[in-house]
Short mmCIF file of all heavy atoms in Angstrom, two decimals:
data_model
loop_
_atom_site.label_atom_id
_atom_site.label_comp_id
_atom_site.label_asym_id
_atom_site.label_seq_id
_atom_site.Cartn_x
_atom_site.Cartn_y
_atom_site.Cartn_z
N SER A 365 134.07 -19.58 -39.63
CA SER A 365 135.29 -20.27 -39.24
C SER A 365 135.00 -21.69 -38.77
O SER A 365 135.87 -22.55 -38.76
CB SER A 365 136.02 -19.49 -38.15
OG SER A 365 135.15 -19.21 -37.09
N LEU A 366 133.73 -21.96 -38.40
CA LEU A 366 133.37 -23.30 -37.96
C LEU A 366 133.22 -24.25 -39.15
O LEU A 366 133.77 -25.36 -39.14
CB LEU A 366 132.05 -23.23 -37.17
CG LEU A 366 131.60 -24.46 -36.42
CD1 LEU A 366 132.43 -24.63 -35.18
CD2 LEU A 366 130.13 -24.34 -36.05
N LEU A 367 132.47 -23.82 -40.16
CA LEU A 367 132.14 -24.73 -41.26
C LEU A 367 132.71 -24.29 -42.60
O LEU A 367 133.44 -25.03 -43.25
CB LEU A 367 130.62 -24.84 -41.39
CG LEU A 367 129.86 -25.40 -40.21
CD1 LEU A 367 128.38 -25.29 -40.46
CD2 LEU A 367 130.25 -26.83 -39.94
N ILE A 368 132.34 -23.08 -43.01
CA ILE A 368 132.64 -22.66 -44.38
C ILE A 368 134.15 -22.61 -44.61
O ILE A 368 134.66 -23.09 -45.61
CB ILE A 368 132.00 -21.29 -44.67
CG1 ILE A 368 130.51 -21.36 -44.38
CG2 ILE A 368 132.23 -20.90 -46.12
CD1 ILE A 368 129.83 -20.03 -44.28
N ASN A 369 134.87 -21.99 -43.66
CA ASN A 369 136.33 -21.97 -43.77
C ASN A 369 136.93 -22.82 -42.67
O ASN A 369 137.82 -22.39 -41.97
CB ASN A 369 136.85 -20.55 -43.66
CG ASN A 369 136.41 -19.72 -44.83
OD1 ASN A 369 136.46 -20.17 -45.96
ND2 ASN A 369 135.95 -18.52 -44.56
N ASN A 370 136.40 -24.02 -42.49
CA ASN A 370 136.91 -24.91 -41.45
C ASN A 370 138.43 -24.97 -41.52
O ASN A 370 139.00 -25.21 -42.59
CB ASN A 370 136.31 -26.30 -41.64
CG ASN A 370 136.70 -27.24 -40.53
OD1 ASN A 370 137.84 -27.67 -40.48
ND2 ASN A 370 135.78 -27.54 -39.66
N PHE A 371 139.08 -24.72 -40.38
CA PHE A 371 140.53 -24.58 -40.42
C PHE A 371 141.23 -25.84 -40.89
O PHE A 371 142.30 -25.77 -41.47
CB PHE A 371 141.05 -24.15 -39.04
CG PHE A 371 141.02 -22.67 -38.86
CD1 PHE A 371 139.81 -22.00 -38.84
CD2 PHE A 371 142.18 -21.94 -38.75
CE1 PHE A 371 139.77 -20.63 -38.72
CE2 PHE A 371 142.16 -20.57 -38.63
CZ PHE A 371 140.95 -19.91 -38.61
N VAL A 372 140.65 -26.99 -40.62
CA VAL A 372 141.32 -28.22 -41.03
C VAL A 372 141.04 -28.54 -42.49
O VAL A 372 141.95 -28.77 -43.28
CB VAL A 372 140.90 -29.40 -40.13
CG1 VAL A 372 141.54 -30.68 -40.61
CG2 VAL A 372 141.28 -29.12 -38.70
N PHE A 373 139.76 -28.53 -42.87
CA PHE A 373 139.41 -29.05 -44.18
C PHE A 373 139.46 -28.01 -45.30
O PHE A 373 139.53 -28.38 -46.47
CB PHE A 373 138.02 -29.70 -44.15
CG PHE A 373 137.97 -30.91 -43.28
CD1 PHE A 373 136.95 -31.08 -42.37
CD2 PHE A 373 138.97 -31.87 -43.35
CE1 PHE A 373 136.91 -32.20 -41.57
CE2 PHE A 373 138.94 -32.98 -42.55
CZ PHE A 373 137.91 -33.15 -41.64
N THR A 374 139.37 -26.73 -44.98
CA THR A 374 139.45 -25.79 -46.09
C THR A 374 140.61 -24.81 -45.95
O THR A 374 140.97 -24.16 -46.92
CB THR A 374 138.16 -24.98 -46.27
OG1 THR A 374 137.85 -24.36 -45.04
CG2 THR A 374 137.00 -25.86 -46.66
N LYS A 375 141.20 -24.71 -44.76
CA LYS A 375 142.37 -23.84 -44.64
C LYS A 375 143.65 -24.64 -44.46
O LYS A 375 144.74 -24.08 -44.46
CB LYS A 375 142.20 -22.86 -43.49
CG LYS A 375 141.20 -21.77 -43.81
CD LYS A 375 141.55 -20.50 -43.10
CE LYS A 375 140.77 -19.36 -43.70
NZ LYS A 375 140.58 -18.28 -42.77
N TYR A 376 143.51 -25.94 -44.25
CA TYR A 376 144.66 -26.84 -44.18
C TYR A 376 145.66 -26.43 -43.10
O TYR A 376 146.85 -26.33 -43.33
CB TYR A 376 145.34 -26.94 -45.54
CG TYR A 376 144.33 -26.96 -46.63
CD1 TYR A 376 144.10 -25.84 -47.40
CD2 TYR A 376 143.55 -28.08 -46.85
CE1 TYR A 376 143.11 -25.84 -48.37
CE2 TYR A 376 142.57 -28.09 -47.80
CZ TYR A 376 142.35 -26.97 -48.55
OH TYR A 376 141.38 -26.97 -49.49
N LEU A 377 145.13 -26.16 -41.90
CA LEU A 377 146.01 -25.80 -40.79
C LEU A 377 145.84 -26.82 -39.67
O LEU A 377 144.81 -27.47 -39.55
CB LEU A 377 145.66 -24.41 -40.26
CG LEU A 377 145.90 -23.26 -41.24
CD1 LEU A 377 145.37 -21.97 -40.67
CD2 LEU A 377 147.38 -23.12 -41.53
N GLY A 378 146.85 -26.93 -38.84
CA GLY A 378 146.79 -27.82 -37.69
C GLY A 378 146.77 -29.29 -38.03
O GLY A 378 146.27 -30.12 -37.28
N LEU A 379 147.35 -29.64 -39.18
CA LEU A 379 147.22 -31.01 -39.64
C LEU A 379 148.02 -32.02 -38.83
O LEU A 379 147.59 -33.14 -38.64
CB LEU A 379 147.63 -31.11 -41.11
CG LEU A 379 146.73 -30.31 -42.07
CD1 LEU A 379 147.19 -30.51 -43.49
CD2 LEU A 379 145.30 -30.74 -41.92
N CYS A 380 149.21 -31.60 -38.33
CA CYS A 380 150.05 -32.57 -37.60
C CYS A 380 149.27 -33.10 -36.41
O CYS A 380 149.15 -34.31 -36.21
CB CYS A 380 151.33 -31.91 -37.10
SG CYS A 380 152.22 -31.07 -38.39
N VAL A 381 148.71 -32.17 -35.63
CA VAL A 381 147.95 -32.57 -34.45
C VAL A 381 146.67 -33.29 -34.88
O VAL A 381 146.25 -34.26 -34.26
CB VAL A 381 147.64 -31.34 -33.59
CG1 VAL A 381 146.78 -31.71 -32.41
CG2 VAL A 381 148.93 -30.71 -33.12
N PHE A 382 146.08 -32.81 -35.96
CA PHE A 382 144.85 -33.41 -36.45
C PHE A 382 145.06 -34.90 -36.75
O PHE A 382 144.29 -35.75 -36.32
CB PHE A 382 144.38 -32.68 -37.70
CG PHE A 382 143.19 -33.30 -38.36
CD1 PHE A 382 141.94 -33.24 -37.76
CD2 PHE A 382 143.31 -33.93 -39.58
CE1 PHE A 382 140.85 -33.82 -38.37
CE2 PHE A 382 142.22 -34.49 -40.20
CZ PHE A 382 140.98 -34.45 -39.59
N PHE A 383 146.12 -35.23 -37.46
CA PHE A 383 146.36 -36.64 -37.78
C PHE A 383 146.87 -37.41 -36.57
O PHE A 383 146.59 -38.59 -36.42
CB PHE A 383 147.34 -36.77 -38.95
CG PHE A 383 146.71 -36.41 -40.25
CD1 PHE A 383 147.14 -35.31 -40.96
CD2 PHE A 383 145.66 -37.14 -40.76
CE1 PHE A 383 146.54 -34.95 -42.16
CE2 PHE A 383 145.05 -36.80 -41.95
CZ PHE A 383 145.50 -35.69 -42.66
N GLY A 384 147.60 -36.70 -35.70
CA GLY A 384 148.16 -37.38 -34.54
C GLY A 384 147.13 -37.78 -33.50
O GLY A 384 147.25 -38.84 -32.89
N THR A 385 146.10 -36.94 -33.32
CA THR A 385 145.20 -37.21 -32.20
C THR A 385 143.81 -37.65 -32.63
O THR A 385 142.88 -37.63 -31.84
CB THR A 385 145.05 -35.97 -31.30
OG1 THR A 385 144.64 -34.88 -32.12
CG2 THR A 385 146.33 -35.62 -30.59
N SER A 386 143.65 -38.02 -33.90
CA SER A 386 142.31 -38.41 -34.33
C SER A 386 142.14 -39.92 -34.42
O SER A 386 141.28 -40.41 -35.12
CB SER A 386 141.96 -37.74 -35.66
OG SER A 386 142.85 -38.17 -36.65
N LYS A 387 142.98 -40.66 -33.71
CA LYS A 387 142.85 -42.11 -33.80
C LYS A 387 141.71 -42.63 -32.93
O LYS A 387 141.01 -43.55 -33.30
CB LYS A 387 144.16 -42.78 -33.40
CG LYS A 387 145.24 -42.64 -34.46
CD LYS A 387 146.38 -43.61 -34.20
CE LYS A 387 147.59 -43.25 -35.05
NZ LYS A 387 148.47 -42.28 -34.39
N ARG A 388 141.54 -42.00 -31.76
CA ARG A 388 140.49 -42.46 -30.84
C ARG A 388 139.54 -41.31 -30.54
O ARG A 388 139.95 -40.16 -30.46
CB ARG A 388 141.11 -42.94 -29.51
CG ARG A 388 142.11 -44.06 -29.64
CD ARG A 388 141.69 -45.22 -28.77
NE ARG A 388 140.40 -45.75 -29.21
CZ ARG A 388 140.30 -46.69 -30.16
NH1 ARG A 388 141.35 -47.18 -30.74
NH2 ARG A 388 139.12 -47.14 -30.51
N LYS A 389 138.29 -41.66 -30.35
CA LYS A 389 137.27 -40.64 -30.11
C LYS A 389 137.56 -39.84 -28.83
O LYS A 389 137.43 -38.63 -28.79
CB LYS A 389 135.90 -41.29 -30.00
CG LYS A 389 135.00 -40.98 -31.18
CD LYS A 389 133.60 -41.46 -30.89
CE LYS A 389 133.23 -42.57 -31.84
NZ LYS A 389 131.94 -43.18 -31.62
N ASP A 390 137.96 -40.57 -27.76
CA ASP A 390 138.17 -39.90 -26.47
C ASP A 390 139.30 -38.88 -26.58
O ASP A 390 139.19 -37.75 -26.12
CB ASP A 390 138.52 -40.94 -25.39
CG ASP A 390 137.40 -41.94 -25.23
OD1 ASP A 390 136.26 -41.56 -25.56
OD2 ASP A 390 137.67 -43.07 -24.81
#
Side-chain angles (χ1 to χ4, degrees):
Chain A
S365 53
L366 190 75
L367 299 174
I368 305 165
N369 294 316
N370 185 287
F371 274 65
V372 177
F373 294 133
T374 54
K375 286 211 166 154
Y376 321 104
L377 294 173
L379 296 182
C380 307
V381 176
F382 175 70
F383 286 114
T385 55
S386 62
K387 286 195 193 89
R388 301 236 62 87
K389 250 190 245 176
D390 300 335

